[in-house]
Amino acid sequence: MHSIVIFASGRGSNARAIIDHFKTNGNARVALIVSNKADAGVIAVAEEERIPFLVIGKKTFGETLLVEQLMEYKPSLLVLAGFLWKVPDSLIKTFPEKIINIHPALLPLYGGKGMYGHHVHNAVLNARDAESGITIHYVNEVYDSGNIILQARCPVNSGDTADSLAERIHKLEHFYYPRVIEYLLGQ
Ligand code: GAR
């Protein structure tokens, strides 16, 4: 049985989709949820699903103690699902090619520090792009620049708001992220 550790800072809808997917598919389970926000929606998801969770501070992130705590779960993958802090090099070195992220745009477009959630969707709308999408990629030392595993596209409709575009993007994320994880674990 593979263990997945999810890192999330927000509502946790991707975490929810991944948890639900592995209730009935594949030989994996979400073993731990790590968040930098004690009041994030994803913590409520963890509590509801009785999944252990860890709330970390900026100082703890990357320190030996956290790395050791993570090692205890023997994770096959560390999955960033709406996690907004940069992953420290120590973690990347400890888990090479085992950390993946989802970004709500077609990288290299609209990536980098500060580009998350509605900031991304507003930038896409301001640029009047005809399409947007999602990128699932490996995490390396530079924000949003690791090797791309999958991209999926959707139209940007006239009259779209950041909310309506986010909703379309979330649908893509919830479909593809669990399936990409299952694929990577099966390799
Ligand atoms: C997702 O859309 C994810 O792509 C985005 O945060 C959202 C989290 O939603 N991540 C980034 O913007 C990272 N730069 P969720 O909490 O409902 O899963």
Side-chain angles (χ1 to χ4, degrees):
M1 178 66 83
H2 287 289
S3 286
I4 300 166
V5 174
I6 294 180
F7 285 70
S9 309
R11 189 160 71 97
S13 71
N14 277 286
R16 156 71 61 207
I18 295 163
I19 293 163
D20 287 350
H21 179 86
F22 286 104
K23 279 180 185 165
T24 51
N25 294 274
N27 55 343
R29 74 193 167 99
V30 176
L32 177 72
I33 294 182
V34 180
S35 183
N36 58 310
K37 278 194 191 159
D39 60 350
V42 72
I43 297 294
V45 173
E47 284 175 331
E48 199 181 309
E49 295 293 332
R50 297 174 193 275
I51 295 171
F53 63 88
L54 205 60
V55 178
I56 55 167
K58 261 236 158 92
K59 270 193 168 169
T60 352
F61 201 21
E63 278 183 356
T64 329
L65 184 64
L66 176 67
V67 173
E68 280 170 8
Q69 274 174 308
L70 292 176
M71 296 277 235
E72 278 175 30
Y73 290 89
K74 299 190 175 40
S76 300
L77 271 185
L78 307 190
V79 173
L80 310 193
F83 188 71
L84 303 184
W85 284 354
K86 189 172 179 303
V87 177
D89 294 359
S90 58
L91 229 60
I92 294 171
K93 285 203 176 73
T94 312
F95 300 102
E97 298 291 292
K98 281 188 175 180
I99 312 180
I100 61 172
N101 180 43
I102 192 159
H103 187 77
L106 296 169
L107 290 174
L109 297 175
Y110 310 113
K113 196 172 188 316
M115 288 305 273
Y116 59 88
H118 276 34
H119 297 288
V120 174
H121 305 312
N122 282 323
V124 170
L125 292 173
N126 288 338
R128 300 181 180 274
D129 289 352
E131 62 173 11
S132 188
I134 63 167
T135 304
I136 298 171
H137 64 95
Y138 286 105
V139 171
N140 66 11
E141 289 80 357
V142 184
Y143 258 121
D144 296 331
S145 71
N147 286 340
I148 291 174
I149 304 163
L150 174 135
Q151 289 190 310
R153 291 159 191 272
C154 64
V156 178
N157 297 334
S158 63
D160 256 340
T161 60
D163 279 345
S164 62
L165 183 54
E167 198 182 319
R168 200 170 305 124
I169 296 275
H170 265 117
K171 282 194 183 129
L172 284 181
E173 294 185 328
H174 300 164
F175 181 81
Y176 283 107
Y177 212 10
R179 285 165 178 81
V180 164
I181 294 166
E182 186 177 338
Y183 167 75
L184 292 175
L185 293 176
Q187 275 191 324

